[in-house]
Amino acid sequence: MTTPQANDDGAPVLDAAVDDARLAPPSSASPDAVGLHRRMLDSIGEAIASGRYAPGHRLTLEELQREHGVSRTVARDTMRALETMNLVTSRRRVGIVVQEAAKWNVYDPQLVRWRLASERRDEQYASLTELRIAVEPVAAAGAARRGSGDQRMELLRLAAELERLGAAGDLEAFLAADIAFHRLILRSSGNEMFAALDGMVSEVLTSRTRQGLMPFHPRNEALDAHRHVAEAIGDGDAARAESSMRDVLQEVRTALRLNP
Amino acid sequence: MTTPQANDDGAPVLDAAVDDARLAPPSSASPDAVGLHRRMLDSIGEAIASGRYAPGHRLTLEELQREHGVSRTVARDTMRALETMNLVTSRRRVGIVVQEAAKWNVYDPQLVRWRLASERRDEQYASLTELRIAVEPVAAAGAARRGSGDQRMELLRLAAELERLGAAGDLEAFLAADIAFHRLILRSSGNEMFAALDGMVSEVLTSRTRQGLMPFHPRNEALDAHRHVAEAIGDGDAARAESSMRDVLQEVRTALRLNP
DNA sequence: TGAGTGAAATAGGTAATACTTTTAGGTGAG
DNA sequence: CTCACCTAAAAGTATTACCTATTTCACTCA
């Protein structure tokens, strides 16, 4: 198998509300159920992501176990997790050193969450949006080539629903359908690296709407473009899917002033 | 700061041989210097990435410490690292469960390495190549907008060198320059999420040449396209940079049969 | 049959301790 | 005065032992 396989697993396709553990807080019934390690990780991770702990800043395990009131084991676990994301390195005799941002695993959903929660959130949104612009057209082409029949049908259904909801002016429902549409394309692309971005795309779309960056009534061209994407994928027309998706993203480009 | 900043840091631009810790084994002077944790992590990580431990497979800490002859602490550290990459989840009373592949942090350079080392390497190369096709054109546009003067000049120099080496037929040197060219564009893009892909792109390019998938003499159109990219970036012409980069990637698309 | 209940399994967490590597500083020879 | 070597301290790495909290599963009793 030298190319990605058709995505024809029997998994349910219709769940727009699929568990998006990929970019959601670890929903906990009781607040204390999350484990010491998790809280400490969040606290330090956010501090690094936001720049409060600058690159080069040195921490020591002892310091950390004192400040967070935890045992050495928990402190080490936390550092191990941060090390895995390349947020820090730990060296003997020197301690735990915050890495420069260029080394971070910026695709780690956890880190993305921290960055979105920080003051630098606009930068993170800009990067993610540019990433969408890059990936979604090619993902649409992939879906046209490798998507399953169910997925194609569902995309057409979602495109129709978008038109209906757009006309009705129900922004909240429109957003939900829009997210479902874009996520489904990423997941149908047959490329797991594209699929892995679906949580981040949802995040961007949600924020864009919540910030009022969306026109109250979606523009007609945008709705048409969505339909064209769905139709092209339905027809297995990769080139048209790709260029129609570029049309969809055109207004995003404009908003970011990333345009010719 | 609401958009990515111009990449004008004082960092050296000329080092094609920049430390690519991002996708290289943890180069160790002495073989034992790497820490128990690292060896165990590699061993289990690779087993999961290759599918030898299937999703749903259950491990227990006790089992692991016995099999790898390590203490509980080391076993826990390892699991914590795997958990951070979403390769496993650990639950009380049940153990450590291998996650399904859809949950993995497939952008973690470590995981990418493991997948490239496994039997599924072709799948990973295909995904990475498609990702390149998606990202590099937009990264080139970003470089045209936000690259520093030094970076633009270095790109022109590299394009000229590519032509020279292409004509000379020195494939090894050509590869090095080609990698430097593509990496520099990613790093000049001003988008840290693009820059983070540079190690993976190098990996793909290296493999493509080593596998003899490159024509012995690079085609003239390919060389021209590289020059056009560099020139467009030099001129700050984002649209032309983007479309020229698409030309560069055209032959990659053809090779993967991802073409109209 | 089905709800409660208790025991077992397993990760989470604490604590004390010894080992190893790395760095800084000092000392002495040339 | 400089350089090489030695030593000591700092800090992560690793081990062991033990206790706690959850979750599951099987068993019992209504």
Side-chain angles (χ1 to χ4, degrees):
Chain A
M1 28 176 97
T2 174
T3 55
Q5 292 295 295
N7 186 338
D8 55 358
D9 58 30
V13 172
L14 312 182
D15 52 348
V18 63
D19 73 322
D20 52 357
R22 279 196 159 276
L23 209 73
S27 70
S28 53
S30 60
D32 292 352
V34 272
L36 287 181
H37 158 265
R38 196 42 150 279
R39 274 207 300 265
M40 185 173 175
L41 182 62
D42 265 0
S43 141
I44 301 178
E46 207 184 307
I48 296 176
S50 72
R52 280 202 307 286
Y53 286 159
H57 184 89
R58 273 181 37 187
L59 307 162
T60 67
L61 283 178
E62 207 160 358
E63 211 175 286
L64 290 168
Q65 49 181 319
R66 251 192 306 104
E67 282 177 19
H68 290 80
V70 297
S71 70
R72 197 174 182 78
T73 312
V74 173
R76 274 192 67 176
D77 274 6
T78 307
M79 287 306 115
R80 203 57 91 187
L82 291 172
E83 214 177 5
T84 304
M85 302 181 211
N86 260 296
L87 261 61
V88 301
T89 44
S90 100
R91 282 164 49 212
R92 282 188 160 135
R93 165 69 210 229
V94 24
I96 289 145
V97 185
V98 177
Q99 292 261 35
E100 50 184 349
K103 296 264 184 76
W104 297 352
N105 287 176
V106 286
Y107 290 87
D108 191 305
Q110 189 120 140
L111 176 52
V112 172
R113 267 201 300 280
W114 289 329
R115 295 183 69 196
L116 287 175
S118 80
E119 312 84 51
R120 317 269 279 279
R121 65 178 294 198
D122 288 341
E123 266 175 71
Q124 177 68 87
Y125 273 121
S127 304
L128 283 173
T129 302
E130 209 176 25
L131 183 64
R132 279 190 68 199
I133 290 169
V135 164
E136 290 200 48
V138 181
R145 285 194 194 87
R146 301 181 296 250
S148 72
D150 281 358
Q151 291 169 330
R152 291 170 208 262
M153 277 181 46
E154 175 66 2
L155 280 172
L156 285 164
R157 197 189 65 72
L158 283 168
E161 193 171 321
L162 280 174
E163 288 187 290
R164 193 169 56 73
L165 294 169
D170 182 346
L171 220 85
E172 204 59 37
F174 183 86
L175 171 63
D178 197 29
I179 289 179
F181 184 85
H182 288 274
R183 293 183 74 169
L184 182 52
I185 286 176
L186 289 171
R187 283 188 283 130
S188 309
S189 69
N191 183 329
E192 77 287 351
M193 300 193 86
F194 293 166
L197 300 172
D198 73 342
M200 306 186 192
V201 168
S202 317
E203 192 67 33
V204 172
L205 287 172
T206 303
S207 147
R208 188 169 63 132
T209 302
R210 300 254 188 282
Q211 308 276 298
L213 294 178
M214 276 286 281
F216 184 70
H217 275 284
R219 294 177 314 114
N220 268 330
E221 304 95 76
L223 292 174
D224 286 346
H226 277 81
R227 199 186 61 247
H228 293 155
V229 170
E231 286 169 357
I233 293 177
D235 296 347
D237 184 342
R240 200 165 131 252
E242 184 168 339
S243 73
S244 298
M245 184 57 102
R246 284 219 176 82
D247 295 341
V248 169
L249 294 164
Q250 191 56 48
E251 67 181 348
V252 179
R253 274 178 114 117
T254 309
L256 263 196
R257 283 184 293 163
L258 288 179
N259 247 354
Chain B
M1 29 175 96
T2 173
T3 56
Q5 292 293 295
N7 185 339
D8 54 357
D9 58 29
V13 174
L14 311 184
D15 51 348
V18 64
D19 72 320
D20 51 358
R22 277 193 161 279
L23 210 72
S27 70
S28 53
S30 60
D32 292 350
V34 271
L36 290 181
H37 158 265
R38 195 43 151 278
R39 273 208 301 266
M40 186 174 174
L41 182 63
D42 265 0
S43 140
I44 302 179
E46 208 185 306
I48 296 176
S50 71
R52 278 202 307 288
Y53 286 160
H57 184 88
R58 273 180 39 185
L59 307 162
T60 67
L61 284 179
E62 206 162 355
E63 211 175 285
L64 291 167
Q65 51 180 316
R66 252 192 304 103
E67 281 176 19
H68 291 79
V70 296
S71 70
R72 192 177 182 80
T73 314
V74 174
R76 278 187 60 175
D77 273 7
T78 307
M79 287 305 115
R80 198 61 84 192
L82 292 172
E83 214 177 3
T84 304
M85 302 181 209
N86 259 298
L87 260 61
V88 301
T89 43
S90 96
R91 283 163 48 210
R92 278 182 168 145
R93 165 68 212 228
V94 25
I96 289 145
V97 185
V98 177
Q99 291 260 36
E100 51 184 350
K103 296 264 183 79
W104 298 353
N105 287 178
V106 286
Y107 290 86
D108 191 304
Q110 189 120 142
L111 177 51
V112 171
R113 266 202 301 281
W114 290 328
R115 295 183 69 195
L116 287 176
S118 79
E119 312 86 50
R120 318 267 280 279
R121 63 178 294 196
D122 288 340
E123 266 176 70
Q124 177 68 89
Y125 273 121
S127 303
L128 283 173
T129 302
E130 206 176 29
L131 183 63
R132 278 189 68 199
I133 291 169
V135 165
E136 290 201 48
V138 180
R145 286 195 194 88
R146 302 181 294 249
S148 73
D150 282 359
Q151 291 169 330
R152 290 169 209 263
M153 279 180 45
E154 175 65 2
L155 280 172
L156 285 163
R157 196 189 67 70
L158 283 168
E161 193 172 320
L162 281 174
E163 288 187 290
R164 191 170 57 72
L165 294 169
D170 181 347
L171 219 86
E172 205 59 36
F174 182 86
L175 171 63
D178 196 30
I179 289 179
F181 183 85
H182 288 275
R183 293 184 74 168
L184 182 51
I185 287 176
L186 289 171
R187 283 189 284 131
S188 309
S189 69
N191 183 330
E192 78 286 351
M193 300 192 86
F194 293 167
L197 300 174
D198 71 344
M200 306 186 192
V201 168
S202 318
E203 191 67 34
V204 172
L205 286 172
T206 304
S207 148
R208 189 170 62 132
T209 302
R210 299 254 188 283
Q211 307 278 298
L213 294 178
M214 276 285 282
F216 185 69
H217 275 284
R219 293 176 314 114
N220 268 331
E221 304 97 76
L223 291 173
D224 286 346
H226 276 83
R227 198 184 65 246
H228 293 155
V229 170
E231 286 170 356
I233 293 177
D235 296 347
D237 184 341
R240 200 166 130 252
E242 184 168 338
S243 74
S244 298
M245 185 56 102
R246 283 219 176 82
D247 294 342
V248 170
L249 294 165
Q250 192 56 48
E251 65 182 349
V252 180
R253 275 179 112 117
T254 308
L256 262 196
R257 282 184 293 164
L258 288 179
N259 248 353

